[in-house]
Amino acid sequence: MTQPEAVARDGEVAVFTFDHPPVNALAQPVRARLLAAVEALDADPGVRAIVLIGSGRNFVAGADVREFDRPPLEPFLPALLARVEACGKPVVAALHGATLGGGAETALACHYRCAAGDLKLGFPEVSLGLLPGAGGTVRLPRLAGWQASLELMTSGKPIGIDRAIELGIVDRRVDGDLRAGAIAWARELAHAHAPPRRVLDLPVPASRPSQFEEFLRALPAAARRLPAPPRIVEALASAALLPADAALARARALFMECLASTESRAFRYLFFAERGAVPDVVLARAVGQAAVLGSGTMGAGIAISLATGGIPVLLIEAKQEALDAGLARVRAAIDAAERKGRLDRDEAEAARGRVQGSLTLAAVAGADLVIEAVYENLAVKRELFGRLGQLAKPGAVLATNTSTLDVDAIAGASGRPADVVGMHFFSPANVMRLVEVVRGRESSRAALATVHSVAKRIGKIAIPVGNAFGFVGNRMLYAYGREKELMLLEGAKPEVIDKALVDFGMAMGPNAVGDLAGLDIGWQVRKEWRDKPEDPRFYRASDLLAELGRYGQKTGRGFYRYDTPGGERTPDPEVVELIRAEAERLGVRQRQVEPGEIVARCILALINEGARILEDGIAASPSDIDVIWCNGYGFPRHRGGPMFYADTLGLATVVDSIRKLARAHGERDWTPAGLLVTLAGAGASFASWQSGRAAAADGGGRQG
Ligand code: 3H9
């Protein structure tokens, strides 16, 4: 008998290996190979047991998400897994690394499961706006019970080997060589005449009729409004009530509903947009040691990211006291990560060992990458880069973490501008994944490639941006903030604006964000901003509060008050009165501003500014803008980002709405961007524009 593809034999045990880099996703050829293998091995009298194992770093990371946007191709995963489960010989899953989504469902369709210590088993479908659609909702509860199934599938969080064994999902742990251990166990099972132990044949665990409803009600309101979480609960509830076949069919139907939803399209779009390749990766220089200048909140956050990401880092400060405080902050964050289980003891120990401190700037000489995170002042930074230009070793990349200053002006002072780039981290830098990588006029491709690859190494999402005021994110933030500030003057209360935007899906309202960040910060920036818009209403409410010493949470008062014992955010009638008086002084007539208008003005301002940023070449693509806004500014992921959201509205509708706002509020703020008008006129979308440009670049590349 000829050996099926991807199958090896070890005596009477056959081993099927998933070998589809980079993550063994269940693409159509993989499914076809597995089906052919199971059919052949089931019929082969020389085979007494079968092992399924993954090559590389993991078992199987799930369905191939790219296929979801194309017409479905046979064999379909649910039917394939039914065939695996029906196999007449024991099938053993040998799991390691990511065993996710369809990969976990494949494991559940096997008759026995063993795993290595690095197992990460989970059902992340919910974060793609989906539910486990290949039998997971019907099989998992038969092993792990209802509560664990509900939690695993609605949270999407993976579990490790110990929990997987505790829940009865994995039967045994294999230390040492997983393949050899799995083969030995399969042989044992064959010799013991162990039957195929089918999960679907196990009894349905008891459930309370109200259990599912209660679980759904306890989910956060934002999750309940999305398509996937309620459908996950419904699929599990049907698995409790219906015979297996009917429950499988119901789960499949619910999966298809989710797949077709705009929300799932948005999640899938972001999934790929966040995983762009490192540009010019071959040019990236090796970084074995980094230095961070400045041990304040930002500098310490960056140092934590580097150390936990595996890069030794020297934290440099001018004063001992400040350095000690910075190092203590780094250690406290690593300790906390260990306590919360995000780092195991060895990882935490290694991370702590990677951080050193120094009081001398000359110590940068040992670093391949220097990241400056000192006080936001051009003269200070220019002086520092002048010295760095002399002290850093040749080829070292010099990055500035400025969020508002001109990277070229900083680079110019270094005497080696080709080595200088911007690396705009978001606060808190050890938590926020976004980094805007700012391309200066003379930044070399090698320097840019180096910071992109370092960012990827430490688990950040790096997006290339041009050097212009506010780069991409903050420039758009000013357009968004401009409208909310105008509406404050027009009579919308801070809490009404915040609620409207939180209801739209923003992680926080803009006034609450201002209070959290400190209203003095933006106030200082606007004082030094030379080309600030001349409109006297521009950010007037924020500036007024800052002038009165109401800086936000840190002073106990800002747009809100924070003077309850728990420091909760409480609306403040005094603010409403202060803004009313200011509006009167400026001649702004107050009125009722409806939530619909609040959302429309803020979000359309974002979209219009995003389009201008694309015209100016400050962002490379609409999806880069979306990744920035979803990861740095709390834009709702289920709406895909401002540019994706604009496409879902239709660009013609967007342009019409902007023109209406221009009639009501003036052309100065509301002239539609030329790109928007052109695309809307051509019946196009940002997505079609982006793929047209990518195709043209590809064609150009091939010709060149
Ligand atoms: C599902 O299973 C539905 C079923 O219930 C029912 C079906 C009927 N598909 O993240 P990385 C690519 S839904 C296609 O940078 P890491 C990724 O784009 C699925 N491609 O690596 C990237 O490509 P490129 C449920 C995928 O080491 C490369 O692999 N599963 C998929 O940091 C490396 O990715 C999930 O949601 C995929 N499923 O992390 C798991 N996964 O090199 C999603 C990855 O061209 N995946 N790629 O940029 C992950 O969580 C992470 O990728 C993983 C590795 C933890 C596996």
Side-chain angles (χ1 to χ4, degrees):
M1 202 164 203
T2 52
Q3 190 85 316
E5 228 185 318
V7 172
R9 285 288 292 274
D10 190 310
E12 68 264 82
V13 177
V15 181
F16 176 90
T17 304
F18 292 99
D19 186 9
H20 187 66
V23 296
N24 299 335
L26 293 163
Q28 191 276 339
V30 179
R31 300 196 302 274
R33 275 200 290 276
L34 177 59
L35 181 60
V38 171
E39 302 255 317
L41 299 173
D42 207 7
D44 184 341
V47 172
R48 295 184 59 195
I50 302 167
V51 169
L52 304 191
I53 194 166
S55 72
R57 285 189 300 146
N58 63 308
F59 179 66
V60 168
D64 183 344
V65 180
R66 284 184 203 278
E67 282 186 358
F68 290 157
D69 290 321
R70 303 181 201 138
L73 292 171
E74 289 197 76
F76 301 137
L77 193 58
L80 169 62
L81 296 188
R83 180 65 191 87
V84 170
E85 191 170 46
C87 184
K89 300 161 186 179
V91 182
V92 174
L95 313 173
H96 78 292
T99 300
L100 302 173
E105 292 176 299
T106 302
L108 294 175
C110 294
H111 307 137
Y112 299 89
R113 283 158 294 278
C114 61
D118 69 348
L119 177 71
K120 277 199 163 56
L121 182 140
F123 298 87
E125 285 91 342
V126 67
S127 58
L128 295 170
L130 298 172
L131 58 94
T137 53
V138 185
R139 290 193 180 93
L140 183 69
R142 286 168 159 79
L143 292 174
W146 300 109
Q147 191 61 22
S149 301
L150 284 161
E151 281 166 16
L152 280 172
M153 289 178 178
T154 53
S155 75
K157 290 205 184 105
I159 54 173
I161 176 109
D162 294 338
R163 180 81 177 129
I165 289 177
E166 195 186 325
L167 288 174
I169 302 171
V170 167
D171 304 299
R172 60 162 72 178
R173 176 186 179 120
V174 177
D175 291 313
D177 184 5
L178 177 65
R179 184 187 153 96
I183 292 173
W185 188 29
R187 184 165 292 125
E188 237 175 75
L189 290 166
H191 289 176
H193 301 284
R197 196 189 51 181
R198 300 189 178 95
V199 173
L200 277 191
D201 290 343
L202 297 175
V204 183
S207 61
R208 280 182 298 111
S210 59
Q211 181 171 7
F212 301 96
E213 228 168 83
E214 284 164 17
F215 186 87
L216 184 61
R217 266 204 306 272
L219 286 179
R224 268 183 281 136
R225 281 199 295 265
L226 293 175
R231 284 178 175 77
I232 290 173
V233 177
E234 187 186 336
L236 286 165
S238 6
L241 289 174
L242 303 176
D245 278 355
L248 287 170
R250 183 71 197 127
R252 185 71 182 161
L254 292 166
F255 174 84
M256 298 311 278
E257 283 176 24
C258 285
L259 191 63
S261 68
T262 306
E263 289 83 352
S264 177
R265 276 202 304 119
F267 284 123
R268 276 141 46 199
Y269 158 84
L270 286 172
F271 177 84
F272 290 111
E274 287 167 357
R275 285 175 168 74
V278 171
D280 295 322
V281 67
V282 290
L283 299 178
R285 298 178 190 147
V287 173
Q289 173 73 50
V292 173
L293 309 184
S295 66
T297 315
M298 195 42 112
I302 297 170
I304 296 162
S305 301
L306 290 164
T308 52
I311 301 180
V313 53
L314 189 65
L315 195 57
I316 302 182
E317 248 302 340
K319 294 213 174 74
Q320 185 72 53
E321 213 175 301
L323 179 62
D324 290 345
L327 288 172
R329 208 174 277 153
V330 173
R331 268 192 296 271
I334 297 174
D335 293 349
E338 184 182 354
R339 256 198 326 278
K340 291 180 189 155
R342 283 202 292 268
L343 295 176
D344 66 30
R345 192 188 317 152
D346 292 348
E347 288 165 338
E349 208 39 54
R352 279 187 283 266
R354 289 189 196 105
V355 188
Q356 307 283 326
S358 173
L359 292 170
T360 42
L361 191 60
V364 295
D368 308 299
L369 168 66
V370 182
I371 304 174
E372 164 276 311
V374 304
Y375 184 63
E376 189 79 344
N377 173 290
L378 187 58
V380 173
K381 297 207 190 225
R382 278 179 57 87
E383 200 265 334
L384 189 57
F385 271 74
R387 294 172 64 201
L388 285 180
Q390 302 287 322
L391 295 170
K393 67 179 166 193
V397 175
L398 311 178
T400 169
N401 176 52
T402 182
S403 52
T404 51
L405 301 172
D406 178 2
V407 172
D408 289 330
I410 297 171
S414 72
R416 44 193 273 192
D419 288 333
V420 179
V421 299
M423 237 180 146
H424 180 213
F425 286 84
F426 288 69
S427 192
N430 51 317
V431 176
M432 303 286 282
R433 290 188 65 207
L434 181 67
V435 179
E436 286 182 317
V437 175
V438 189
R439 180 179 66 245
R441 206 172 30 237
E442 294 183 57
S443 305
S444 68
R445 286 164 62 196
L448 290 164
T450 306
V451 294
H452 273 281
S453 75
V454 164
K456 192 164 185 134
R457 245 170 99 189
I458 63 174
K460 302 286 182 199
I461 301 170
I463 300 295
V465 299
N467 178 31
F469 181 80
F471 312 127
V472 170
N474 282 347
R475 175 165 154 188
M476 288 172 72
L477 183 64
Y478 263 109
Y480 173 82
R482 175 196 77 212
E483 287 307 306
K484 78 98 178 159
E485 292 274 334
L486 288 174
M487 287 185 277
L488 284 168
L489 289 175
E490 288 164 29
K493 291 181 183 160
E495 61 275 19
V496 171
I497 291 181
D498 283 0
K499 179 170 186 320
L501 288 160
V502 167
D503 286 349
F504 172 76
M506 297 300 295
M508 274 176 91
N511 299 304
V513 170
D515 277 3
L516 181 68
L519 297 177
D520 52 323
I521 308 280
W523 182 44
Q524 286 304 336
V525 170
R526 286 186 290 278
K527 277 200 245 176
E528 292 189 22
W529 182 0
R530 270 174 291 140
D531 313 320
K532 193 177 85 164
E534 270 164 24
D535 188 342
R537 301 168 305 166
F538 187 72
Y539 273 82
R540 191 55 210 135
S542 276
D543 288 349
L544 172 70
L545 297 186
E547 285 159 16
L548 296 170
R550 300 185 63 125
Y551 293 169
Q553 286 192 20
K554 60 183 155 192
T555 56
R557 280 167 188 228
F559 279 111
Y560 296 86
R561 325 166 53 118
Y562 302 87
D563 48 9
T564 59
E568 287 94 3
R569 193 161 64 220
T570 324
D572 188 351
E574 204 179 305
V575 168
V576 175
E577 178 47 32
L578 281 168
I579 297 177
R580 192 206 56 74
E582 191 66 3
E584 192 175 300
R585 191 183 70 77
L586 292 167
V588 179
R589 195 177 54 83
Q590 291 212 318
R591 63 192 169 85
Q592 178 83 16
V593 185
E594 298 299 333
E597 178 179 345
I598 294 170
V599 170
R601 283 172 66 180
C602 287
I603 304 299
L604 288 168
L606 266 185
I607 294 169
N608 205 26
E609 197 62 26
R612 290 206 183 104
I613 282 173
L614 288 169
E615 280 169 8
D616 294 351
I618 302 300
S621 65
S623 63
D624 277 358
I625 293 180
D626 287 335
V627 171
I628 287 174
W629 264 75
C630 289
N631 288 283
Y633 298 87
F635 196 91
R637 293 180 72 80
H638 70 273
R639 298 194 192 270
M643 312 320 273
F644 184 95
Y645 180 61
D647 278 353
T648 64
L649 295 174
L651 297 190
T653 308
V654 169
V655 170
D656 277 354
S657 309
I658 291 178
R659 290 202 167 120
K660 269 192 207 115
L661 287 168
R663 286 194 288 278
H665 302 281
E667 301 264 327
R668 183 183 50 196
D669 291 337
W670 288 112
T671 304
L675 177 64
L676 261 179
V677 175
T678 310
L679 293 178
S685 63
F686 284 119
S688 64
W689 181 71
Q690 179 164 342
S691 41
R693 278 163 46 112
D698 257 13
R702 270 200 297 278
Q703 280 153 30

